Amino acid sequence: MIRYIRWCAYFCALLLAALLANVARVQVWESAAYGANPANKRPAIDRYAEPRGDILVDGRPVTGSRDSGQLLRYERTYTDGPLYAPVTGFSSQTYGTSFVERAEDAVLSGTDPGLSAFPLWYDLSRGRPGGGNAATTLRAAVQQAAYRGLGGKRGAVAAVEPATGRILALVSSPSYDPGLLSGTGTRVKAAWERLNADPTRPMLNRALRETYPPGSTFKIVTAAAALDAGVVTDVDAPTRTPDPYRLPGTSTLLPNAAAGCAEASMAEAVQWSCNTVMADIGVRVGLRGMVEAAERFGFNDEGLRVPSWVSRSNFDTDMSPDQLALSSIGQFNTKATPLQMAMVAAAVANGGELRTPYLVDRTTRDDGSLVRRTDRRTLSRAMSPATALRVQELMVKVVEDGTGRNAAVPGALVGGKTGTAQHGVGNAGTPYAWFIAWARGQGAPQPAVAVAVVVEDASAVRGDISGNGAAAPIARAVMEAALRAGTA
């Protein structure tokens, strides 16, 4: 009898060992697979069991959380959702996250190890700290000025602090309310389908993700390339460029919209936006010189993050001379995001040093203590300080007595450049109106803001559409707001 009991004990011990082995297998080796299984609802339930941390503008939250009483308990809410949507993106139980909500998801959702001094404790207890906050670099007044300036027109605005790279405004229009995508159910699904079917593409972040032909605003890059390469040594010297200009190796004539461009100097070509002179200068700089100059400004960079990823701005690396001529005035295959063109203006304003743009200044715990702060970095030396000084003077002349008078700000020094970009099959599309600029307050040691504005659907007769008419007033309003915010 005792022998049978012993065998029974051995068998029970074997079963216990098998049970423990299976528990270890499930908890250790199979846990990742079970956690990732779509049928497992626990991760989603845990994710939304607590309020999400907030995104801050000027120290105040522009997001929040609402107790829905549902299984996925807390839903995201947004203050002034359409105003800040290109920055915050959305956080949806149904469709995931985008932009800062995605880039800083670990902090906002409370899963970042940096939120706790003892992260192992939360791993063992299967708990988590409260969601942290992401403090942006935006200035609310600058963001509002850009949003009001576009007034619902298709387009975008990007404004940057030249000395640091802090993004002060990032607006895409038309916009949408990301709160429509919070939660689950038919209401959220219907909103998603409606937004994606909208021909104006309100969920497209035009400031970061759309690329446009920059038109004549790219002439600032060409001017900097020519000065750095020594192709132009005297900006006031007349050139030998005819009007119209025959594109090299072709019979195609390139005209000017402005009068008096024949043999104009580079200074006059920037001031009055002469296509012929700047196209010829680009050809004289040469393909290699123009490519290197464009890349110093940030073109062809596929790795830019702010922290959301930014579309690559393009300047072709293999072109014939006639294509190079057109590319040097921002046409052919040259494409740029509004942020990229704000970076061009910022590099000029900052003495040729291009700072890496960034949108999140710091992340904090829910009690306000610091998790991490974004380091300010130099992206490149876009041009020499001497060249930057000369280009600044050229841009100031554009605003004071050239094509960009509508950007003038009383009491401030403003430099700018207009652009009207042709596009579409046979250039049949409504031209894009561009303006890039920087502004320095009276008595200030350095410029406070650099801005780029693009308007896709300028309301004017096609031949009258210009950066000065459609985009410069928006840039002026943004610069005025930035100058006021800097002295507040």
Side-chain angles (χ1 to χ4, degrees), residues 91 172 237 239 286 323 397 431:
S91 177
S172 177
T239 64
Q323 294 167 342
K397 204 166 184 180

Side-chain angles (χ1 to χ4, degrees), residues 34-75:
Y34 283 124
N37 191 314
N40 182 11
K41 304 298 183 185
R42 188 173 298 278
I45 293 172
D46 289 344
R47 175 182 175 85
Y48 298 106
E50 300 292 336
R52 189 170 173 84
D54 285 319
I55 298 171
L56 311 179
V57 175
D58 283 344
R60 292 186 291 273
V62 296
T63 58
S65 294
R66 175 182 60 240
D67 189 347
S68 68
Q70 304 296 315
L71 190 62
L72 303 182
R73 184 172 174 182
Y74 284 96
E75 297 177 356

Side-chain angles (χ1 to χ4, degrees), residues 132 268 329 340 355:
E268 292 169 329
I329 59 171
Q340 171 62 72
R355 304 288 273 178

Side-chain angles (χ1 to χ4, degrees), residues 106-199:
V107 169
L108 297 169
S109 64
T111 60
D112 191 304
L115 291 171
S116 172
F118 304 102
L120 182 60
W121 167 252
Y122 287 101
D123 289 341
L124 294 174
S125 66
R126 294 188 179 276
R128 67 178 187 186
N133 299 325
T136 70
T137 59
L138 293 184
R139 300 305 303 268
V142 184
Q143 183 81 358
Q144 291 163 3
Y147 187 78
R148 287 194 303 267
L150 282 170
K153 297 186 182 71
R154 288 196 302 274
V157 178
V160 177
E161 187 175 66
T164 63
R166 295 170 66 240
I167 296 175
L168 305 178
L170 201 68
V171 170
S172 177
S173 178
S175 189
Y176 72 104
D177 183 359
L180 296 172
L181 304 178
S182 299
T184 59
T186 56
R187 175 188 62 83
V188 172
K189 183 179 179 181
W192 177 265
E193 292 175 349
R194 183 175 66 255
L195 289 169
N196 279 285
D198 191 326

Side-chain angles (χ1 to χ4, degrees), residues 113-485:
L115 291 171
S116 172
F118 304 102
L120 182 60
W121 167 252
Y122 287 101
D123 289 341
L124 294 174
S125 66
R126 294 188 179 276
R128 67 178 187 186
N133 299 325
T136 70
T137 59
L138 293 184
R139 300 305 303 268
V142 184
Q143 183 81 358
Q144 291 163 3
Y147 187 78
R148 287 194 303 267
L150 282 170
K153 297 186 182 71
R154 288 196 302 274
V157 178
V160 177
E161 187 175 66
T164 63
R166 295 170 66 240
I167 296 175
L168 305 178
L170 201 68
V171 170
S172 177
S173 178
S175 189
Y176 72 104
D177 183 359
L180 296 172
L181 304 178
S182 299
T184 59
T186 56
R187 175 188 62 83
V188 172
K189 183 179 179 181
W192 177 265
E193 292 175 349
R194 183 175 66 255
L195 289 169
N196 279 285
D198 191 326
T200 65
R201 299 189 295 170
M203 288 205 299
L204 171 65
N205 190 326
R206 290 171 163 86
L208 298 181
R209 300 283 171 83
E210 184 71 305
T211 57
Y212 304 86
S216 292
T217 59
F218 190 82
K219 292 172 183 175
I220 297 303
V221 177
T222 302
L227 289 167
D228 267 351
V231 169
V232 174
T233 56
D234 182 358
V235 297
D236 296 312
T239 64
R240 297 181 179 180
T241 312
D243 182 10
Y245 169 74
R246 185 172 62 83
L247 295 176
T250 75
S251 58
T252 303
L253 296 178
L254 177 67
N256 289 298
C261 287
E263 300 189 2
S265 66
M266 189 172 79
E268 292 169 329
V270 172
Q271 181 181 2
W272 301 109
S273 205
C274 297
N275 292 332
T276 52
V277 173
M278 300 309 297
D280 181 59
I281 287 174
V283 172
R284 288 162 55 197
V285 171
L287 177 61
R288 181 176 177 180
M290 284 300 301
V291 169
E292 290 176 351
E295 291 182 349
R296 289 196 298 270
F297 278 96
F299 283 80
N300 298 339
D301 182 357
E302 296 182 353
L304 186 61
R305 302 289 185 273
V306 294
S308 307
W309 67 269
V310 181
S311 292
R312 174 184 184 270
S313 295
N314 181 73
F315 189 83
D316 278 2
T317 58
D318 184 12
M319 291 181 281
S320 60
D322 60 309
Q323 294 167 342
L324 176 59
L326 293 174
S327 295
S328 299
I329 59 171
Q331 297 288 169
F332 188 54
N333 286 336
T334 303
K335 296 287 183 66
T337 62
L339 178 62
Q340 171 62 72
M341 296 314 297
M343 290 163 61
V344 169
V348 174
N350 197 41
E353 182 183 8
L354 178 58
R355 304 288 273 178
T356 301
Y358 65 100
L359 188 54
V360 175
D361 180 64
R362 64 192 181 279
T363 52
T364 65
R365 300 176 183 88
D366 56 358
D367 63 1
S369 57
L370 184 68
V371 175
R372 65 181 63 90
R373 185 182 293 276
T374 301
D375 293 330
R376 296 173 179 177
R377 296 181 291 113
T378 296
L379 185 64
S380 67
R381 165 60 66 178
M383 71 198 94
S384 71
T387 292
L389 183 61
R390 296 299 290 139
V391 178
Q392 286 177 17
E393 293 169 351
L394 298 180
M395 294 180 74
V396 168
K397 204 166 184 180
V398 169
V399 174
E400 291 184 347
D401 187 26
T403 59
R405 292 185 181 91
N406 283 342
V409 176
L413 183 68
V414 177
K417 183 69 189 79
T418 53
T420 306
Q422 308 294 331
H423 68 100
V425 178
N427 290 333
T430 300
Y432 299 140
W434 275 95
F435 197 80
I436 65 172
W438 52 266
R440 186 176 72 217
Q442 190 171 25
Q446 58 193 8
V449 61
V451 61
V453 178
V454 62
V455 180
E456 294 183 29
D457 54 347
S459 301
V461 177
R462 176 185 170 89
D464 295 335
I465 294 174
S466 69
N468 185 55
I474 302 172
R476 181 184 65 232
V478 173
M479 291 185 289
E480 288 175 334
L483 291 168
R484 285 195 300 269

